[in-house]
Amino acid sequence: MHDKILILDFGSQVTQLIARRVREAKVYSEIHPYDVSDAFIREFAPKGIILSGGPSSVTEGDTPRAPQAVFEAGVPVLGICYGMQTMAEQLGGKVQSSSHGEFGYAAVRAHGHTRLLDGIEDYQTAEGHGMLDVWMSHGDKVDAMPTGFKLMASTPSCPIAGIADDERGFYGVQFHPEVTHTKQGAALLQRFVVDVCGARADWEMGHYVDEAIAKIREQVGDEQVILGLSGGVDSSVAAALLHRAIGEQLTCVFVDHGLLRYREAEQVMKTFGDHLGVKVIHVDASDVFLGKLAGVTDPEAKRKIIGREFVEVFKAEAAKLTSAKWLAQGTIYPDVIESAGHGKKGASKIKSHHNVGGLPEDLQLKLVEPLRELFKDEVRALGIELGLPAEMVHRHPFPGPGLGVRILGEVKREFADLLRRADAIFIETLRDFVDEKTGKSWYALTSQAFAVFLPVKSVGVMGDGRTYEYVVALRAVQTQDFMTAHWAHLPHELLGHVSNRIINEVRGINRVVYDISGKPPATIEWE
C-alpha cells in the first residue's frame, strides 16, 4: 500500500495541479470533495491533508468548511488560499474581505524559519530577508491568526500571507504553490508531503505496472473484455495494459469514422495487431459517418452526430461478441475528478464525465477502467513502460470527433483528404526542425499543433495559370495545462517550408496562414 495524501477540493479551477505536483514528488494523492464525512477521512487514513483554494468567501455564512476530522486526524494539514482562510476561521482566527485583492504575481517575504519554508527562497533582500516569487488570487485575507500559529509569510498588501503551527504540522499559504508561476511551489509541496508528513516517495510507473496487472486480473478473472480503441493515448495505453494482464481475453474494436489523421488507422493496426499481438476488429464506418454529416455545419451538431454514430457502430460490434462480460474504457483521473465535482456546492463546474464516445449503460457489460487513478502525464509514462512507441505515447491531443471539428462548416470526404495530407506535412516538419537552443524538435516544444481546413477559396498563381483553391490555417500552441495557451513562435523558416510543401504537394490548396491567437480569447481548437 502507498502512503496517501488527501486533497479536499473547495472548487478551485487548479485543484488538479495540486495532485499532479504531489505525485511528481512520487507521493500518491487523491482529490475528493470538501464535504466528505469524518468517517471517510478516518478510513482514508492519509499521511497528510491539503485544503484547496476555491471561489467562495469565508466571510459569508453558508460557504464550504473543512470537516472537523481534518484537524483531529493527527496528521499535518496544508491550507492553500481559501483552504488557509477556512483553516484560520475554523481554528479560531479571523478572516475579512480585503480592500486590496491580489491577482497575479506577488513577492512574498518568508518569516520565522518555519519547517515548511526553511531554506526555500528565490532570492534575498539587502536586509537578508528570504523572498518568494508567487502567484496570488484572492480578495479575502486572514486578519488574525488562530492560537498556536505564527506568521510564516507576508506581502505589503497581505500582512498574513502564510501561517504555521509547527507543533501540529498545520500550515496555510495565501498564494498558490501548485501553479508554475510560483517558482518554488513544487519544492514547497515536496517539503510538506515528504518531510513534514513523512510520506514514502514510492509512486512510480515502473512499480505501478505490476500493481495494475494484479488488480485487473483480480477484477476480471477469466472473463472476456471488449475495449473501444480510438488510437488516442488513453485508449492505446489501456489496451496495452489490459493485453499485458489478460492477453487473449481482450478484444479491441477500432472504429474508423473517416476523420482520422493521415495513415492513423494503418498505424493503429500495425502497432496493436502486428507488434503487440492484440485482437483488434477494424471497422471502416467512414461512409456512414460522412453520410450523416452531409449538409451539417454547426460544430455542436457535428460533435453529437459523430458521438452518436460511434456508439451505434460500437454497440453493433459488441453485440457480435456475446462472450464479452466487461467493457474497458480509457477513463483517466481528471475525468473522475470532474465527474465527482459536477453539480456539488462549492465545486468547480467543468464538465460531466466523458469516456469513449459516451458509451451507454444498456450494453449490459461490467466496467473496467485501468487508468482511472492516473493523470495524463502518468498515462504517457505508463505507455513507455509497456513498450508502446514513443511517437504514439507522446502524440499531441486529438479531439474525439477528429477532423470533423477541424474542417470548418460542412464535412466532406474531399476536404478530409486535403486536410489529412496538409496536417501530416505540418507535423512531419515540426518533428524534423530542431531548435538550436534546446536541442529539441519543434514538435516536442509545442503542446498541440494541427492544420485547419477553411471553407473558402482564394485566387492564386501556379506556373502561368491562375488557381482558385482552398485555404488551410496552421495552429500551434504552448501551454502547461491547456486552460490557457500561447501561440507558438515557430521559426519563419519552418513556416515557410511547411507552406511551400503543402501548396506544392497538396493539389487543391493554394494558400496557408498561421493562427497567432492565444487562449483566451480564442480556444485552441477552431470548433
Side-chain angles (χ1 to χ4, degrees):
M1 289 287 292
H2 297 282
D3 286 344
K4 298 181 291 187
I5 298 296
L6 174 61
I7 300 165
L8 295 183
D9 182 16
F10 287 87
S12 169
Q13 294 292 325
V14 291
T15 299
Q16 288 189 29
L17 295 181
I18 302 174
R20 286 180 59 187
R21 298 293 172 260
V22 172
R23 291 192 186 186
E24 285 168 5
K26 298 183 179 181
V27 175
Y28 183 70
S29 62
E30 287 185 14
I31 298 173
H32 291 275
Y34 71 88
D35 57 354
V36 295
S37 67
D38 287 359
F40 173 88
I41 293 173
R42 289 191 292 269
E43 185 178 339
F44 191 87
K47 292 288 287 186
I49 300 171
I50 299 177
L51 309 177
S52 85
S56 302
S57 172
V58 172
T59 61
E60 298 173 3
D62 188 23
T63 51
R65 295 292 186 270
Q68 189 59 30
V70 166
F71 308 110
E72 298 173 354
V75 298
V77 181
L78 172 64
I80 296 173
C81 196
Y82 184 91
M84 166 179 158
Q85 294 166 8
T86 194
M87 171 193 280
E89 183 82 15
Q90 289 181 246
L91 295 180
K94 184 179 178 183
V95 177
Q96 68 174 23
S97 296
S98 174
S99 58
H100 300 285
E102 288 181 299
F103 299 92
Y105 167 81
V108 168
R109 176 185 165 185
H111 295 265
H113 302 289
T114 59
R115 189 178 178 193
L116 184 66
L117 289 184
D118 189 26
I120 296 178
E121 60 186 35
D122 286 304
Y123 61 95
Q124 289 190 354
T125 64
E127 296 79 20
H129 301 311
M131 302 294 292
L132 294 168
D133 291 329
V134 305
W135 189 70
M136 291 275 200
S137 181
H138 69 100
D140 294 347
K141 65 180 181 179
V142 174
D143 193 48
M145 291 182 287
T147 301
F149 281 79
K150 64 180 180 180
L151 184 66
M152 182 171 69
S154 66
T155 72
S157 61
C158 185
I160 304 177
I163 58 177
D165 180 340
D166 275 325
E167 187 174 331
R168 287 185 288 179
F170 289 178
Y171 302 93
V173 290
Q174 189 58 68
F175 55 89
H176 287 265
E178 68 271 31
V179 301
T180 55
H181 304 73
T182 298
K183 295 178 182 177
Q184 298 297 327
L188 185 156
L189 287 169
Q190 180 166 351
R191 170 73 58 79
F192 177 71
V193 300
V194 175
D195 297 337
V196 176
C197 298
R200 293 191 307 273
D202 60 358
W203 177 250
E204 299 181 37
M205 282 304 101
H207 300 151
Y208 179 77
V209 173
D210 292 337
E211 295 176 27
I213 288 172
K215 188 174 180 180
I216 291 167
R217 288 173 177 167
E218 180 182 358
Q219 183 179 9
V220 171
D222 60 359
E223 294 180 326
Q224 297 289 311
V225 179
I226 182 173
L227 178 142
L229 181 61
S230 70
V233 174
D234 300 337
S235 68
S236 296
V237 175
L241 178 59
L242 284 160
H243 184 256
R244 178 79 66 89
I246 59 175
E248 290 294 308
Q249 293 169 240
L250 173 68
T251 300
C252 295
V253 176
F254 174 54
V255 179
D256 182 351
H257 49 34
L259 300 168
L260 299 172
R261 287 168 282 202
Y262 187 63
R263 291 183 175 172
E264 185 166 17
E266 178 184 318
Q267 181 193 33
V268 168
M269 294 304 296
K270 182 177 181 180
T271 299
F272 287 94
D274 299 343
H275 179 60
L276 294 178
V278 179
K279 285 191 294 185
V280 183
I281 298 172
H282 181 192
V283 183
D284 184 354
S286 57
D287 288 343
V288 174
F289 279 86
L290 293 170
K292 296 284 186 180
L293 289 167
V296 180
T297 59
D298 179 72
E300 191 58 28
K302 290 192 293 185
R303 288 178 181 274
K304 288 180 178 177
I305 289 170
I306 294 168
R308 183 174 64 245
E309 289 307 311
F310 181 92
V311 169
E312 292 304 315
V313 173
F314 188 87
K315 282 172 66 176
E317 292 301 321
K320 301 174 186 177
L321 300 169
T322 56
S323 60
K325 303 298 181 185
W326 293 84
L327 170 67
Q329 294 188 155
T331 307
I332 63 174
Y333 195 43
D335 303 333
V336 178
I337 298 167
E338 289 161 3
S339 177
H342 186 69
K344 292 191 72 70
K345 183 180 177 182
S348 50
K349 293 183 179 179
I350 305 169
K351 57 176 178 285
S352 57
H353 178 66
H354 65 276
N355 49 42
V356 183
L359 295 174
E361 295 179 0
D362 61 6
L363 285 171
Q364 301 296 312
L365 297 172
K366 295 175 284 187
L367 192 61
V368 55
E369 297 173 311
L371 309 180
R372 65 178 284 115
E373 296 177 335
L374 306 182
F375 284 103
K376 177 72 82 171
D377 52 341
E378 294 172 323
V379 172
R380 295 186 194 278
L382 177 59
I384 295 297
E385 287 286 339
L386 292 168
L388 288 175
E391 59 269 21
M392 172 179 279
V393 171
H394 291 290
R395 278 199 310 185
H396 290 174
F398 188 61
L403 301 183
V405 290
R406 291 180 178 174
I407 298 170
L408 303 195
E410 184 180 6
V411 176
K412 297 181 179 180
R413 190 181 294 273
E414 171 200 358
F415 298 167
D417 290 340
L418 290 173
L419 179 57
R420 246 188 291 274
R421 292 163 61 201
D423 184 76
I425 289 170
F426 186 28
I427 299 303
E428 181 182 319
T429 306
L430 288 170
R431 292 188 188 278
D432 289 343
F433 270 69
V434 175
D435 175 58
E436 293 182 359
K437 291 182 180 179
T438 63
K440 296 181 179 179
S441 74
W442 274 100
Y443 186 82
L445 292 172
T446 52
S447 308
Q448 194 168 359
F450 53 90
V452 178
F453 182 88
L454 307 184
V456 295
K457 286 187 173 183
S458 71
V459 174
V461 178
M462 298 188 78
D464 294 324
R466 289 166 64 85
T467 61
Y468 190 56
E469 295 176 334
Y470 292 105
V471 181
V472 293
L474 307 179
R475 178 74 158 144
V477 299
Q478 294 170 316
T479 176
Q480 292 286 336
D481 51 24
F482 290 89
M483 288 185 276
T484 62
H486 300 285
W487 62 274
H489 291 233
L490 300 179
H492 291 179
E493 181 187 1
L494 185 157
L495 290 170
H497 184 77
V498 172
S499 176
N500 189 56
R501 279 196 61 191
I502 289 174
I503 291 170
N504 279 283
E505 297 177 31
V506 185
R507 185 53 55 88
I509 296 173
N510 71 352
R511 193 177 297 270
V512 176
V513 299
Y514 187 50
D515 181 352
I516 57 169
S517 311
K519 177 187 178 181
T523 53
I524 294 175
E525 296 284 351
W526 278 43
E527 284 194 344

